[in-house]
Amino acid sequence: MVEKRRPIKVNEAIKKVMAYAKTGQIEEIPIEQAYGRFLGEELVADHDVPMFDRSPYDGFAVRAEDTKEANRNNPVTLEVIGEIGAGSVFEGPVGKKQAVRIMTGAQMPDDCDAVVMLELANEFEQGGKPYFDLKKQMKSGENISFQGEDTKKGTVLASKGTYINPGIVALLATFGYKYVPVSKKPTIGIIATGSELLQVDEPLQPGKIRNSNAYMVHAQIERAGGHPIYFGQFSDELEVCYEQVKNTLEKVDFLITTGGVSVGDYDYLPEIYKMLGANVLFNKIAMRPGSVTTIAEINGKLLFGLSGNPSACYVGMELFVRPIIRTHLQSSRPYVNKTVAILGADFPKPNPFDRFVRGHLRYENGQLIATPSGLDKSNVVTSLAHANVLIQLPGGTRAYEKGMGVDVLLLEDQEGTTS
Amino acid sequence: MVEKRRPIKVNEAIKKVMAYAKTGQIEEIPIEQAYGRFLGEELVADHDVPMFDRSPYDGFAVRAEDTKEANRNNPVTLEVIGEIGAGSVFEGPVGKKQAVRIMTGAQMPDDCDAVVMLELANEFEQGGKPYFDLKKQMKSGENISFQGEDTKKGTVLASKGTYINPGIVALLATFGYKYVPVSKKPTIGIIATGSELLQVDEPLQPGKIRNSNAYMVHAQIERAGGHPIYFGQFSDELEVCYEQVKNTLEKVDFLITTGGVSVGDYDYLPEIYKMLGANVLFNKIAMRPGSVTTIAEINGKLLFGLSGNPSACYVGMELFVRPIIRTHLQSSRPYVNKTVAILGADFPKPNPFDRFVRGHLRYENGQLIATPSGLDKSNVVTSLAHANVLIQLPGGTRAYEKGMGVDVLLLEDQEGTTS
């Protein structure tokens, strides 16, 4: 007799799992290794930017009051008494009708309060000394980048859990982070099950298929920011199997198994959960693919029982494992980001379960079009290759038509969302 | 006297650089390390998928001809003579009015040509033997996933230069790539110039700023798929400088310098290009920021002279270095992908030069909105942190208004585009 399972809604399932989400530890790494990691702490400005009043142009630092009389018909003449390269500071005083040549980014002399752009200065020499004529009155503060104008010291520039992109790296360098506090990657074990599975380098055999799920999940964990470890394939013996799961659990933050969660003689996981004394959060979800996705918890440690079906495995990973990883990485936006896109194909058959269809999102004249990638059979591996979204079709009695707006989950996005 | 430079159009500049683009070598790496790399060869199906006719459901494999008479009022009775688990093969013959229990994904027995789903079979036992009644006629081929239905052997599933995402990893495993031929990462040297620059761990000093460009470019190279090496900061002595560039060039596929390309006493690069006998492709581009971006070539090796200004440096990297890296990685779509988005702010001042404004792209009800991130001053570092697009505003006499459609370059996209 087949066990009867009661399906729960996807959102309810996510909520049950997220009740066990925990933030992880922090480690410091050299800034050269920070790209692609996640901030372990808030990124705070340790000084004003700019840190001093500076010139945004090549030109001359002047005292605005000396230019009061200047106009098209009445140039004022200023003496150039020195030069300030980027990185150096002009120490001396700047007196009446004097100016200093200044380079882009250099610090303003204390006595000056405006910058004349190079092209407005009519340079000449007299008696071996440099001068320039100016036909324009300068306002005090004109052409100056003021201290703190961009960012004030103490400003929080990025929250913890933020994905470290090249711009964040630039900020980290600006604010002196030679070592960057990043979220430590959770270690996630992977065990594949299924007597039909061949190792990736085994020759093909009748009735068998190569194990692709373990490697796929490996890459998905990396994309989500975790550290995957593949522990290989399960034994076909229940007792050995049980020992393998038990031992592996001790070495990881979370454990993912692929396959073995259906209701069947070859599906050991339900029995193993019992033997472990694990608390099964759910073993049936009202979704396609992946309805058999089973998640259990033992002493607060999560065991993700993903389906052996590649598409179901893929979806289960993104919906349930990813937010756990991102929370571990300190993110307050742990869920896969979503948006509305225009459906690029018909789905005439209604389905009582929520569907997550592998799709490809493209941009067309400012609009987003999501098209299912390949056939929507749950055993189709090739359709995953070009998928960059999951098209979410809520279950019910309705059909979906080309041109409708539907939610899509953005698989390559790193910003995430809060729910 | 200041040297007069003639600006060339951005597209012309890109064309001049791309004339020196070369594809790189290929290396084999374990599949576990393939995520985030780029395919060095086409990914070809080495067998049909499915490799054999298989059952997409749990059920019974039957001979359709035995069910011809079945209907609601007249069930046929079939004897269950065996069972096929996933991964095993049913060897014996299946005779008249016989059936075999079959699991999802298992290979069809040779004699059967349809699958009865479990829920349609009314199972019972008689004389110790299992039977089921069926009230429905089955068509030959019904509920079978046929060999090659998903993919035929020899199909090209992804072209070389494709970014390896988790779906591609799944395909690689399916087709037996324990070792994956990937494009070798080009080695790209980075040298920072500028007497105003402090090391990232130096205490702040008047007039100076920390070197953020080198680390930012380091991360941008990684994002583009290259292998960056930071060689540190230039000497302030021209001769030493020249030796540094010359020596570094021998160790890398390309060399990036930041800063030192303006027209000024502190800008050594133009002089160094002369000393090297390098062919300067251009030293002025009609774009903002980054008009001083200078690219030279010596014996086919490219020297990218990016501006010392962070935003200009960032833009120069994405427009000119990235397509060179992606071509090296075998991609036929080496350019940053672009789309049209709705401008989220006004740009009332026309500019004769093409502008590339750091922006943040967000999704709103199926539409793309691109908003400039932070002030559009070219020295603003903080605006780079949240930028995921560059908003492209063609130069000319026109202003740009909120709500207009504009091109945006998608910085985090991995698909790229052909032009």
Side-chain angles (χ1 to χ4, degrees), chain B residues 86-397:
Chain B
S88 58
V89 174
F90 188 79
E91 302 286 0
V94 182
K96 203 163 156 37
K97 295 282 166 87
Q98 292 186 327
V100 183
R101 175 83 169 84
I102 193 167
M103 308 298 163
T104 306
Q107 181 167 338
M108 290 293 289
D110 287 345
D111 295 332
C112 298
D113 60 351
V115 171
V116 175
M117 289 169 80
L118 209 54
E119 47 269 46
L120 296 184
N122 191 11
E123 296 176 75
F124 63 94
E125 257 189 45
Q126 200 164 45
K129 284 183 174 177
Y131 292 87
F132 68 90
D133 280 347
L134 174 69
K135 293 182 171 178
K136 178 179 177 287
Q137 186 192 343
M138 301 299 296
K139 285 188 292 264
S140 179
E142 199 169 342
N143 294 335
I144 294 178
S145 291
F146 289 102
Q147 178 172 343
E149 181 182 276
D150 180 349
T151 301
K152 288 254 177 287
K153 179 177 173 173
T155 307
V156 175
L157 296 163
S159 53
K160 60 184 181 174
T162 298
Y163 178 78
I164 301 177
N165 67 21
I168 298 277
V169 171
L171 283 187
L172 289 165
T174 299
F175 296 113
Y177 289 85
K178 187 178 171 68
Y179 293 91
V180 180
V182 297
S183 306
K184 211 167 168 179
K185 297 182 179 188
T187 298
I188 304 173
I190 308 166
I191 292 176
T193 84
S195 42
E196 78 280 19
L197 295 184
L198 297 169
Q199 299 299 324
V200 61
D201 53 347
E202 277 186 271
L204 292 170
Q205 291 170 34
K208 305 217 174 201
I209 57 169
R210 293 205 189 96
N211 171 15
S212 61
N213 285 342
Y215 298 99
M216 179 181 77
V217 166
H218 195 281
Q220 286 179 285
I221 291 170
E222 285 185 277
R223 177 166 69 184
H227 171 58
I229 303 178
Y230 178 36
F231 286 92
Q233 217 164 309
F234 251 14
S235 160
D236 280 348
E237 305 275 329
L238 179 62
E239 272 296 333
V240 181
C241 226
Y242 162 69
E243 290 296 332
Q244 286 174 323
V245 172
K246 205 167 157 245
N247 294 337
T248 308
L249 258 178
E250 283 163 23
K251 298 176 190 152
V252 298
D253 292 309
F254 316 108
L255 180 61
I256 293 176
T257 55
T258 65
V261 283
S262 294
V263 189
D265 300 344
Y266 302 92
D267 294 302
Y268 287 163
L269 264 304
E271 189 57 28
I272 288 172
Y273 295 138
K274 262 187 219 154
M275 292 165 82
L276 287 168
N279 166 26
V280 175
L281 306 182
F282 49 82
N283 59 15
K284 183 96 179 171
I285 309 169
M287 64 185 262
R288 293 253 184 272
S291 66
V292 295
T293 306
T294 301
I295 301 182
E297 162 271 327
I298 179 163
N299 301 326
K301 199 173 266 188
L302 288 163
L303 288 87
F304 296 92
L306 304 183
S307 166
N309 166 311
S311 301
C313 184
Y314 190 94
V315 169
M317 171 69 209
E318 298 299 331
L319 292 186
F320 303 109
V321 186
R322 187 183 149 125
I324 290 291
I325 294 176
R326 287 290 164 101
T327 302
H328 195 278
L329 296 172
Q330 324 285 334
S331 177
S332 56
R333 307 168 61 86
Y335 300 100
V336 183
N337 211 349
K338 66 165 85 173
T339 185
V340 174
I342 291 158
L343 192 56
D346 288 330
F347 285 81
K349 267 198 201 163
N351 196 308
F353 280 11
D354 290 348
R355 275 175 291 178
F356 294 89
V357 181
R358 300 164 296 292
H360 186 262
L361 187 73
R362 65 177 199 282
Y363 307 99
E364 220 169 69
N365 297 322
Q367 284 195 316
L368 294 166
I369 320 276
T371 312
S373 56
L375 306 158
D376 185 34
K377 289 201 178 171
S378 55
N379 53 347
V380 172
V381 173
T382 51
S383 69
L384 287 173
H386 303 286
N388 55 11
V389 290
L390 293 175
I391 304 170
Q392 189 172 358
L393 303 175
T397 51

Side-chain angles (χ1 to χ4, degrees), chain B residues 15-71:
Chain B
K15 226 168 123 183
K16 276 177 187 278
V17 179
M18 288 299 280
Y20 293 92
K22 281 192 289 245
T23 55
Q25 291 183 302
I26 289 166
E27 61 184 346
E28 293 219 328
I29 59 168
I31 187 170
E32 291 90 342
Q33 296 167 18
Y35 170 67
R37 297 293 296 268
F38 294 80
L39 287 177
E41 291 173 4
E42 286 179 336
L43 197 169
V44 179
D46 76 338
H47 62 76
D48 287 341
V49 178
M51 204 188 65
F52 40 82
D53 294 352
R54 69 182 176 195
S55 173
Y57 303 114
D58 262 10
F60 294 94
V62 299
R63 298 153 20 113
E65 61 177 74
D66 293 340
T67 69
K68 251 190 302 197
E69 316 284 306
N71 62 46

